[in-house]
């Protein structure tokens, strides 16, 4: 009996340790990758949208009283650009010219300061790798740096080994930026992104909607808690079988046990499945065929497009 009990507790201990390890992995994976799924990515292989065009569209939308306008951020990566510090030290780094919220296009954690605001034409944010290469330190807030002959001042430092610099594109610039991030509130982000491009008069591009991927991430994040809830439910049923001869005690026991399980399940707060992936009829095979076809086409288009730093971050975090 003692040997069986010891084996039982050992199994429980091992299960608890495995659950803790799974939870740690899930938390790390979730926090790294979820930031890539909160908005819709749009890429143009040729052309794009300029900051001045976006400003005009937003101005017209406000004048027309158009509601539910998404938050839009334009950006472009210029690889291997020369950056020079005040002591004439130079280094090659990737420059990301953004127009909008820089935090929407990167998942790196800020270690100090902030990303330059949309109206900040003289500010920039540098990676820790770039800061160490140029100054040998990450305590560089306010330091001047020259990019293509123009002087910028460091407003923030973000955690990344690759030498990278973020700056804001000018609002009156007619230069086309080939990437856009759209943040919507509510379901149907991919379809709404297509409608937005059409109504705004912007060219059609590759649309990557990661709504389903975000739902999967949420489920992975909650997986250890789900397993724990199912395990507790199994234990409740197992102990409840011993009270089958005592109906009154069994009823009280099950009422308390299932109440505890219901509270636990409520605390897990499972994510709502994206409404655009739910058919009106589950036997609608045409819907399922089109769904898998569109999602497969979406992923193939994304992988086939020229990868940028944001894509690489998502690939690395996913694998």
């Amino acid at each position: 009996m003692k040997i069986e009990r010891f084996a039982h507790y050992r199994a429980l201990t091992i299960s608890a340790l495995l659950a803790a390890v799974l939870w740690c992995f899930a938390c790390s994976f979730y926090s790294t990758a979820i930031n890539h799924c909160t908005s819709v990515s749009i890429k143009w292989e040729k052309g794009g949208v300029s900051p001045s065009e976006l400003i005009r569209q937003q101005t017209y939308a406000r004048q027309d009283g158009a509601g539910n306008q998404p938050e839009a951020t334009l950006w472009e990566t210029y690889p291997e650009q020369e950056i020079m510090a005040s002591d004439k030290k130079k280094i090659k780094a990737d420059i990301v010219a953004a127009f909008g919220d820089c935090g929407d296009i990167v998942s790196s954690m800020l270690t100090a300061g902030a990303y330059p605001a949309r109206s900040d034409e003289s500010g920039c944010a540098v990676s820790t790798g770039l800061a160490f290469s140029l100054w040998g330190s990450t305590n560089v807030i306010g330091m001047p740096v020259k990019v293509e002959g123009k002087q910028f001042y460091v407003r923030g430092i973000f955690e990344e080994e690759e030498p990278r610099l973020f700056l804001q594109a000018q609002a009156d610039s007619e230069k086309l930026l080939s990437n856009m991030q759209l943040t919507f509130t509510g379901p149907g982000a991919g379809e709404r992104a297509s409608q937005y491009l059409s109504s705004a008069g912007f060219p059609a591009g590759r649309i990557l909607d990661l709504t389903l991927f975000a739902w999967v991430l949420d489920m992975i994040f909650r997986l250890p808690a789900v397993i724990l809830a199912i395990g507790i439910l199994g234990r409740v049923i197992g102990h409840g079988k011993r009270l089958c001869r005592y109906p009154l005690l069994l009823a009280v026991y099950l009422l308390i046990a299932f109440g505890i399980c219901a509270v636990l399940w409520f605390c897990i707060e499972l994510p709502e499945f994206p409404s655009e992936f739910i058919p009106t009829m589950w036997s609608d095979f045409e819907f399922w065929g089109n769904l898998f076809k569109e999602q497969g086409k979406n992923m193939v288009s994304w992988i086939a497009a020229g990868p940028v730093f944001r894509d690489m971050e998502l690939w690395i975090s996913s694998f």
Side-chain angles (χ1 to χ4, degrees):
M1 181 66 70
K2 289 183 178 179
I3 296 176
E4 290 180 0
R5 185 172 296 178
F6 174 76
H8 173 71
Y9 285 123
R10 184 177 64 179
L12 284 178
T13 303
I14 294 174
S15 300
L17 290 173
L18 288 176
V21 172
L22 279 173
W23 181 257
C24 291
F25 273 113
C27 289
S28 176
F29 177 66
Y30 180 86
S31 62
T32 304
I34 193 62
N35 289 335
H36 297 274
C37 307
T38 56
S39 57
V40 181
S41 298
I42 302 170
K43 299 181 181 180
W44 291 276
E45 292 183 2
K46 295 181 180 179
V49 175
S50 68
S52 59
E53 288 178 314
L54 181 61
I55 288 289
R56 284 196 295 270
Q57 184 274 326
Q58 292 175 339
T59 302
Y60 294 153
R62 285 194 297 268
Q63 292 175 350
D64 294 340
N68 296 326
Q69 288 292 300
E71 294 183 14
T73 300
L74 299 171
W75 58 281
E76 181 77 54
T77 299
Y78 302 98
E80 296 296 319
Q81 300 297 306
E82 188 175 82
I83 298 175
M84 185 173 65
S86 57
D87 60 357
K88 308 298 183 182
K89 186 175 181 180
K90 299 179 181 179
I91 187 176
K92 295 283 187 178
D94 292 347
I95 296 176
V96 181
F99 184 70
D101 185 4
C102 295
D104 189 38
I105 61 175
V106 65
S107 62
S108 302
M109 183 183 299
L110 279 166
T111 60
Y115 291 107
R118 179 165 159 171
S119 58
D120 187 356
E121 297 182 358
S122 62
C124 67
V126 299
S127 66
T128 52
L130 178 59
F132 271 114
S133 298
L134 275 182
W135 297 285
S137 169
T138 57
N139 187 21
V140 295
I141 297 293
M143 296 293 286
V145 62
K146 280 192 175 182
V147 179
E148 296 182 347
K150 184 177 179 180
Q151 186 160 285
F152 295 87
Y153 297 91
V154 177
R155 308 282 195 231
I157 301 100
F158 56 93
E159 187 69 38
E160 188 176 336
E161 293 183 4
E162 293 294 324
R164 199 183 315 279
L165 181 144
F166 281 84
L167 52 81
Q168 285 285 343
Q170 296 183 6
D172 58 354
S173 173
E174 295 288 343
K175 192 171 185 178
L176 300 180
L177 304 180
S178 63
N179 297 275
M180 176 185 281
Q181 298 296 130
L182 294 175
T183 303
F184 293 91
T185 56
E191 182 179 351
R192 292 168 68 184
S194 180
Q195 294 173 353
Y196 170 78
L197 291 177
S198 178
S199 62
F202 296 151
R206 296 175 185 262
I207 297 177
L208 177 63
D209 178 16
L210 293 177
T211 307
L212 186 59
F213 189 64
W215 181 82
V216 172
L217 285 180
D218 281 334
M219 289 302 297
I220 292 175
F221 178 67
R222 290 166 174 81
L223 183 61
V226 173
I227 294 174
L228 179 62
I230 294 174
I232 291 175
L233 183 61
R235 298 286 294 177
V236 165
I237 294 173
H239 285 292
K241 289 180 180 179
R242 302 176 184 177
L243 298 175
C244 289
R245 297 181 181 180
Y246 311 98
L248 185 59
L249 289 177
L250 179 62
V252 175
Y253 172 79
L254 290 178
L255 183 63
I256 296 173
F258 282 105
I260 295 173
C261 289
V263 171
L264 179 62
W265 194 260
F266 176 77
C267 292
I268 294 175
E269 193 180 357
L270 291 176
E272 183 179 354
F273 193 76
S275 59
E276 60 265 36
F277 298 103
I278 301 177
T280 53
M281 293 179 58
W282 289 96
S283 58
D284 187 357
F285 297 106
E286 184 178 356
F287 170 85
W288 293 110
N290 292 334
L291 177 64
F292 284 109
K293 183 178 179 181
E294 284 299 319
Q295 290 301 307
K297 183 179 177 182
N298 191 14
M299 295 304 295
V300 169
S301 296
W302 173 49
I303 295 173
V308 295
F309 77 95
R310 181 181 169 89
D311 301 327
M312 298 304 297
E313 286 180 0
L314 180 56
W315 291 346
I316 292 170
S317 64
S318 298
F319 287 109

